[in-house]
Amino acid sequence: MINFEMVSPDNAKDLYLPVMAEIIKVEQMTELETLYTVALPDGAELGHKPGQFVELSIFGVGEAPFSISSSPTMPGVFELGVRKVGMLTEVLSRMQPGQKVGIRGPFGNGIDLENFKGKDVLIVAGGIGLVPMRSMINYVIDNQQDFGKLHIVYGARTDSELLFEDELERWTADAGIDYRVTVDQGSSEWTGPTGVITTLIPGLELDLANTVCCICGPPVMYRFALMALKSKGLPERNIYMSLERRMKCGVGKCGHCQINSSYVCHDGPVYHYPEIKSLQEAL
Amino acid sequence: MVQLFLESDRVAELVAHLMKQKSVFAPHAKGRKSFAFEEVKDPSAAVLDYPRVMHSIRKFFFPPQETLMTFDLKENTCSVAETPAADAIFFGVHSYDLGAVHRLDYNFSEGNPEKNYIARRQGAVFVGVSYKPDEFHFSGSVGIDPYDTAGFDIFLTKLLDGYIVEALTPVGEGLLDGIELPAHEAGKPARGHFQQHIYLPQAKLGQVMDGSYQNEVWDDTAKKCVGCGTCNLVCPTCYCFTVEDEVNVQVTGGSRDRRWDGCMLRDFSAVAGGEVFRETLAERQRHRVFRKFKYISDETGQPWCVGCGRCTACCTAGISIVNIINRLVGDYEKVAVTPI
Amino acid sequence: MADKPRVAIFDFTGCEGCELNQLNFEDQLLDILAHVDIVEWREAMDGHADEYDIAFVEGSLSTPDCIQRIHEVRRKAKVLVALGACAVQGGVNAVKNTHPIDEVREEVYGQDKYLFPTLPALPLSSVVKVDYNVRGCPMTQIEFLKVFTSLVMGKEPVEPEHSVCVECKLKENECVFERGMICLGPVIRAGCDAQCPSVGQYCTGCRGLVPEPNLEGMEEILVSHGLSVDEAWKRLELYNANEVEGVRS
Ligand SMILES: Cc1cc2nc3c(=O)[nH]c(=O)nc-3n(C[C@H](O)[C@H](O)[C@H](O)COP(=O)(O)OP(=O)(O)OC[C@H]3O[C@@H](n4cnc5c(N)ncnc54)[C@H](O)[C@@H]3O)c2cc1C
Ligand code: SF4
Ligand code: SF4
Ligand code: SF4
Ligand code: SF4
Ligand code: FES
């Protein structure tokens, strides 16, 4: 027999019932991506960590996981940056301020802040991977005293797909932030570098032993980013990555998000590289 | 433990006696040669001598389709669906199926305890029955004996002309109050032999699995497997599900429902943008087998397969999980005995 | 929903089993009409609309005239939905694709074969872009309503990608292989709630193949059960001739 005690019904939770949260603001960022500012009822705080996500539902349409893009240091509301790719995100893209969506969460482990504190922070974000990483970036900016230097490496397919343009400008202007951006293919107006994101890594000036990195991007990006970081000399134990898998429940029950034995919704989405190196399905 | 004797032709009488106390669910004949657990209406229709039921009793605690909540589209509100306690007697359960229920108890309790399952699971009383292993059972190899009484309130051990009846819990004793059964003196008969075996002690399986990730068996089975998902859906320890919203014709409301899902299905790991994280049938088969023999087992020390043989019996392609494991064992031993 | 979607309904070559008016919608008709304006429906109204939000199209394409008409429908429709196996896969009509076209014409039209130019029975998608499918022969009311309510809500209808076996097992049916029947369920796309096996019948594959079917595996299944592979492929072709061309080679 398995050694454990079944929980009593009083201590079990209605895991799937969302609370109704209000969309406060809708900002079109690019053709496909929109930033939503969302408020929980009665001014409740979401109470998340950078790297966590919520399950957003629209009744009759469904539910999907979205990373929390705002920093926990932003009070009262939180932000989600959503790319229109399918059924739910299409319907969401038509929603207006004042309308309500269901929210469950925050879920997932989030970034292990203790291991980033006192260190230089390197964020490597590809495409929509900037959405979750932005939570950490703004957290570091708002708590500068706890962290060393902030490096941000960001790549998008084209300059028209760059997200959070105002913030990108601020990061560029901020002498305290080492912000670098590249696009795979620039338009005629693009003056920055072109090429895939990994081309930016060799040029970074890093205090290798004292820099902790977090990577987030499309599935193909991880392996190449890792290779570049390793050949740069960044120790593996300083690398974290935020992964994406199909999710149906967000609470470690439905089985969809599994990477080998690990539940991304519960044990992830942010993984310490040495811990998932041995999981063959991870990268 | 007091052992009583129930003559074969008094089984219906015992069922009727139990029905006076709680609703009773038991195996019934279904189709040409299948059996299914259903609520007993006619005590004489309950079957005790059966190889296996198509779906284990997990279907009562984790239904194939279940409403999680209902919603109102006009008001944009939702309310959680009822998940009534089972509060019933499950009569004629085989030991491996109760073993599977204990595993699900673990899955739905650990981490985030889930109300739906745990609430439905309340008030369930289990009356077990021994069975004669057929050509698919291999529970013995995963440590579950046909006579294993663990977790049962009452257990019936088959004899030639009837059953030994043992009440194992106060609840079980209470249920037998009021039915006169003679004492059984002669002890238990020898247990039935398994025709199927995993050729390695259970304790060593972990090591075998560790070295099996790249085994050729995955590609070989993938050639025969059509990815129909049957092996997941019939497995008493599978607990994966998918969730979908249903809307009524008036478009005024609907429900969010979950239904059993399976890792053998291609869309199980597909995400928007076309990426399928377990693209091939070989990867999916390996995931299924690793879920039964490695991942949760590393955590709990127990195989998550209870040896019921359903996945093999129901696979139209004839893919046998015992054969897969035995091939892994064979390759492991080859490697293990070959000095490098 | 601000304006009601404008809906048009068309039928091409089909057995008529799928026609919407066969679906016994009495109970739901008022609900449906509350959500949409039907602007064109060949059987029920005269007149033609210039554009529509949703066009439901039944039947396959088997004459040059059909092809012209479907192009016109596509031009006028924002969303085009194929209804039933004929429209989605070419359907039962497509069986004739496996015979030389002249033979078919002779069989069907006898002496007059040259007066009636017919094409192979094509699924709509071979000529125009089809946005969504309601599969089945005949399609079921439930599946139609699912697509319909999705479109009314402005959400994309999704088709199941798994096999009929999934629905069959959810219902705890005894597998018809147990009775020596050939069932195509393992490689056929679900959606019908496994209606045939649920009444002790075999699945003939009217919803089309699942994505990436393992047909070699299916063949082995048939052989190992001592069933006729030839017979199985014949049945598969009945509804999927356009998809499985070459399977039997
Ligand atoms: C931890 C996590 C964080 C994410 N954060 C963001 C984010 O910040 N911004 C963003 O735009 N997207 C994010 N995604 C991806 C987002 O969840 C999918 O784009 C979304 O599910 C697509 O839903 P859909 O109904 O529009 O698409 P459809 O293709 O119609 O999806 C149908 C169903 O498939 C499932 N599904 C499809 N794609 C995914 C996916 N990638 N991940 C999980 N389930 C999926 C969903 O359950 C969905 O209900 C995140 C995914 C995960 C796992
Ligand atoms: S039941 Fe058999 S054919 Fe179907 S998915 Fe499982 S192993 Fe493959
Ligand atoms: S894996 Fe197969 S034999 Fe093991 S418990 Fe599941 S269905 Fe039974
Ligand atoms: S009857 Fe057909 S659909 Fe049902 S399980 Fe058997 S093969 Fe699959
Ligand atoms: S079981 Fe097969 S033939 Fe029958 S309706 Fe479903 S898909 Fe069509
Ligand atoms: S999303 Fe359901 S288990 Fe992770």
Side-chain angles (χ1 to χ4, degrees):
Chain A
M1 291 261 278
I2 308 109
N3 240 339
F4 80 105
E5 201 52 52
M6 190 161 73
V7 170
S8 84
D10 300 333
N11 295 324
K13 285 171 272 177
D14 278 323
L15 297 175
Y16 310 111
L17 198 68
V19 298
M20 297 314 291
E22 186 175 334
I23 299 178
I24 302 291
K25 200 163 130 199
V26 177
E27 246 174 289
Q28 186 83 30
M29 293 195 284
T30 67
E31 196 189 332
L32 288 180
E33 280 102 1
T34 309
L35 186 69
Y36 299 88
T37 308
V38 182
L40 292 178
D42 309 321
E45 291 289 346
L46 184 62
H48 67 286
K49 273 168 64 177
Q52 284 193 299
F53 65 94
V54 292
E55 285 280 346
L56 179 147
S57 44
I58 302 174
F59 299 140
V61 181
E63 200 175 37
F66 297 100
S67 308
I68 304 151
S69 190
S70 52
S71 161
T73 46
M74 180 178 190
V77 293
F78 60 95
E79 292 170 331
L80 305 175
V82 177
R83 173 178 287 179
K84 185 164 81 175
V85 292
M87 181 167 75
L88 181 104
T89 47
E90 161 80 39
V91 176
L92 185 61
S93 74
R94 293 194 296 266
M95 291 185 86
Q96 298 297 327
Q99 286 187 286
K100 287 189 173 165
V101 291
I103 294 287
R104 293 190 296 130
F107 294 136
N109 57 358
I111 289 180
D112 184 357
L113 290 170
E114 285 314 307
N115 277 347
F116 281 72
K117 289 223 167 111
K119 310 258 175 62
D120 292 354
V121 175
L122 166 61
I123 301 292
V124 179
I128 193 153
L130 185 62
V131 168
M133 290 300 100
R134 174 175 170 262
S135 176
M136 181 62 179
I137 291 169
N138 285 330
Y139 183 81
V140 172
I141 291 174
D142 291 344
N143 293 288
Q144 226 148 27
Q145 68 286 356
D146 293 338
F147 300 91
K149 194 169 174 59
L150 175 60
H151 305 268
I152 304 168
V153 176
Y154 175 37
R157 266 187 304 206
T158 66
D159 39 330
S160 63
E161 288 183 19
L162 290 171
L163 304 170
F164 308 109
E165 278 186 279
D166 299 350
E167 269 157 88
L168 301 187
E169 271 171 37
R170 256 180 282 146
W171 300 343
T172 315
D174 189 332
I177 302 174
D178 171 25
Y179 166 67
R180 301 170 192 225
V181 58
T182 178
V183 298
D184 297 355
Q185 235 172 11
S187 71
S188 51
E189 287 150 45
W190 179 247
T191 55
T194 53
V196 293
I197 188 165
T198 41
T199 56
L200 293 177
I201 292 174
L204 288 170
E205 285 161 36
L206 301 176
D207 174 1
L208 289 169
N210 196 40
T211 302
V212 191
C213 169
C214 190
I215 313 173
C216 186
V220 291
M221 195 191 90
Y222 292 91
R223 232 169 295 161
F224 294 105
L226 266 175
M227 264 194 301
L229 289 168
K230 280 199 231 165
S231 54
K232 181 86 190 159
L234 193 68
E236 286 181 358
R237 64 169 188 284
N238 291 7
I239 301 176
Y240 289 78
M241 42 189 57
S242 178
L243 300 182
E244 187 193 327
R245 284 298 181 276
R246 190 186 186 106
M247 291 190 178
K248 277 294 174 188
C249 73
V251 290
K253 295 290 172 236
C254 74
H256 283 264
C257 67
Q258 264 194 312
I259 296 179
N260 300 106
S261 56
S262 182
Y263 284 89
V264 177
C265 68
H266 195 256
D267 310 326
V270 186
Y271 286 93
H272 193 195
Y273 178 59
E275 276 163 37
I276 49 161
K277 225 169 76 175
S278 60
L279 299 185
Q280 287 94 331
E281 288 180 343
L283 299 173
Chain B
M1 193 68 51
V2 194
Q3 297 193 341
L4 304 169
F5 178 70
L6 176 74
E7 270 175 86
S8 294
D9 56 12
R10 288 187 69 196
V11 170
E13 186 191 330
L14 175 60
V15 174
H17 175 75
L18 295 174
M19 284 166 75
K20 279 186 256 164
Q21 308 174 60
K22 262 180 191 240
S23 28
V24 175
F25 292 79
H28 288 69
K30 185 171 175 180
R32 298 253 168 117
K33 40 186 166 180
S34 305
F35 298 87
F37 248 94
E38 279 159 18
E39 179 160 11
V40 183
K41 298 281 189 294
D42 166 10
S44 65
V47 180
L48 275 184
D49 194 4
Y50 68 99
R52 65 181 60 68
V53 278
M54 282 192 275
H55 286 173
S56 81
I57 47 173
R58 85 168 161 153
K59 69 177 180 180
F60 299 107
F61 314 130
F62 173 43
Q65 328 225 23
E66 176 182 35
T67 293
L68 298 176
M69 60 180 223
T70 53
F71 49 78
D72 182 322
L73 288 172
K74 293 245 151 77
E75 305 291 325
N76 201 18
T77 51
C78 59
S79 48
V80 72
E82 299 263 308
T83 46
D87 203 22
I89 299 166
F90 296 91
F91 183 83
V93 177
H94 288 171
S95 52
Y96 51 80
D97 274 348
L98 192 59
V101 168
H102 290 147
R103 282 163 175 78
L104 294 184
D105 290 350
Y106 174 85
N107 292 129
F108 284 105
S109 285
E110 278 302 287
N112 293 304
E114 191 204 88
K115 185 117 169 235
N116 298 55
Y117 177 89
I118 292 169
R120 286 186 194 277
R121 177 71 174 74
Q122 299 307 306
V125 176
F126 300 105
V127 179
V129 67
S130 67
Y131 64 97
K132 190 166 161 289
D134 73 357
E135 70 267 39
F136 297 113
H137 293 111
F138 59 98
S139 302
S141 305
V142 291
I144 305 175
D145 194 277
Y147 286 2
D148 195 341
T149 60
F152 285 109
D153 296 286
I154 297 174
F155 197 81
L156 310 178
T157 307
K158 178 111 171 78
L159 302 172
L160 275 179
D161 50 351
Y163 297 85
I164 306 170
V165 181
E166 292 167 279
L168 300 150
T169 62
V171 173
E173 278 169 26
L175 288 175
L176 293 179
D177 267 354
I179 181 164
E180 287 298 321
L181 297 174
H184 173 78
E185 309 286 354
K188 285 197 182 183
R191 47 207 69 197
H193 285 293
F194 282 96
Q195 304 168 37
Q196 288 278 344
H197 301 275
I198 293 174
Y199 297 127
L200 197 74
Q202 184 205 317
K204 273 186 134 178
L205 280 179
Q207 285 167 43
V208 175
M209 298 311 289
D210 283 342
S212 297
Y213 204 77
Q214 308 293 359
N215 199 288
E216 282 164 9
V217 75
W218 311 123
D219 279 327
D220 291 348
T221 39
K223 290 194 190 105
K224 292 169 69 186
C225 168
V226 292
C228 67
T230 293
C231 48
N232 292 135
L233 291 155
V234 297
C235 178
T237 69
C238 270
Y239 59 95
C240 290
F241 59 85
T242 185
V243 181
E244 217 179 294
D245 284 10
E246 293 289 342
V247 177
N248 62 21
V249 207
Q250 296 78 29
V251 199
T252 52
S255 58
R256 180 162 294 169
D257 303 330
R258 72 167 162 194
R259 69 157 174 77
W260 294 348
D261 204 350
C263 57
M264 289 306 292
L265 302 170
R266 189 173 176 277
D267 53 358
F268 187 78
S269 66
V271 297
E275 182 89 15
V276 180
F277 284 98
R278 254 172 251 110
E279 180 77 58
T280 64
L281 281 165
E283 290 167 296
R284 282 178 252 155
Q285 188 68 258
R286 173 175 60 206
H287 188 68
R288 176 174 84 95
V289 174
F290 270 57
R291 289 210 64 175
K292 299 300 161 199
F293 285 96
K294 179 161 172 63
Y295 298 149
I296 315 176
S297 311
D298 283 354
E299 192 179 304
T300 60
Q302 291 290 326
W304 232 243
C305 164
V306 295
C308 69
R310 285 185 178 89
C311 54
T312 307
C314 294
C315 175
T316 50
I319 291 168
S320 151
I321 195 160
V322 180
N323 290 354
I324 292 177
I325 298 293
N326 280 337
R327 213 172 118 184
L328 298 178
V329 168
D331 289 347
Y332 167 80
E333 301 210 304
K334 246 185 272 163
V335 176
V337 296
T338 314
I340 323 162
Chain C
M1 190 67 40
D3 286 322
K4 287 189 191 176
R6 293 153 55 84
V7 167
I9 298 155
F10 301 93
D11 61 337
F12 289 88
T13 318
C15 61
E16 315 214 327
C18 280
E19 284 185 8
L20 279 170
N21 47 5
Q22 304 276 322
L23 282 184
N24 295 324
F25 270 132
E26 290 87 17
D27 294 343
Q28 288 86 3
L29 197 59
L30 285 178
D31 291 320
I32 291 178
L33 291 176
H35 292 295
V36 297
D37 280 329
I38 300 204
V39 293
E40 189 165 343
W41 187 345
R42 218 189 71 174
E43 291 100 73
M45 40 201 298
D46 315 320
H48 296 281
D50 291 333
E51 60 172 13
Y52 10 86
D53 296 300
I54 308 166
F56 290 106
V57 183
E58 303 158 343
S60 58
L61 310 171
S62 57
T63 66
D65 178 49
C66 290
I67 305 230
Q68 229 176 345
R69 275 174 61 215
I70 191 70
H71 277 301
E72 192 185 324
V73 171
R74 180 69 263 192
R75 260 199 311 278
K76 292 180 175 179
K78 286 196 192 129
V79 170
L80 192 153
V81 184
L83 297 187
C86 297
V88 178
Q89 294 117 279
V92 189
N93 289 296
V95 182
K96 66 184 180 190
N97 296 4
T98 55
H99 304 288
I101 193 91
D102 265 356
E103 256 173 58
V104 175
R105 264 193 245 166
E106 184 139 340
E107 232 172 78
V108 180
Y109 302 107
Q111 295 274 312
D112 297 330
K113 66 178 175 181
Y114 295 105
L115 297 178
F116 297 90
T118 92
L119 299 162
L122 299 170
L124 305 184
S125 61
S126 66
V127 177
V128 294
K129 180 173 171 279
V130 171
D131 299 300
Y132 307 109
N133 296 316
V134 182
R135 291 169 185 269
C137 178
M139 65 174 174
T140 62
Q141 201 196 64
I142 296 175
E143 287 172 280
F144 174 78
L145 290 176
K146 226 171 150 167
V147 170
F148 180 83
T149 48
S150 287
L151 291 173
V152 166
M153 290 182 66
K155 75 173 188 189
E156 234 171 273
V158 277
E159 286 191 85
E161 288 195 355
H162 49 260
S163 70
V164 175
C165 291
V166 171
E167 293 175 340
C168 191
K169 294 278 78 114
L170 285 172
K171 295 171 87 175
E172 208 173 356
N173 293 331
E174 181 178 61
C175 181
V176 301
F177 271 101
E178 297 278 346
R179 310 184 186 189
M181 287 185 185
I182 297 172
C183 183
L184 293 172
V187 289
I188 295 301
R189 199 188 276 265
C192 59
D193 215 10
Q195 53 175 341
C196 303
S198 300
V199 294
Q201 276 305 324
Y202 49 81
C203 169
T204 51
C206 74
R207 269 158 186 76
L209 290 164
V210 291
E212 299 189 11
N214 178 0
L215 293 176
E216 277 162 37
M218 189 66 211
E219 190 165 326
E220 253 191 74
I221 291 176
L222 296 162
V223 172
S224 68
H225 284 79
L227 297 166
S228 158
V229 176
D230 229 39
E231 171 63 26
W233 289 164
K234 252 189 231 153
R235 284 191 206 159
L236 187 61
E237 273 184 347
L238 186 62
Y239 290 107
N240 304 282
N242 287 305
E243 264 185 87
V244 297
E245 236 174 282
V247 171
R248 298 173 80 191
S249 55

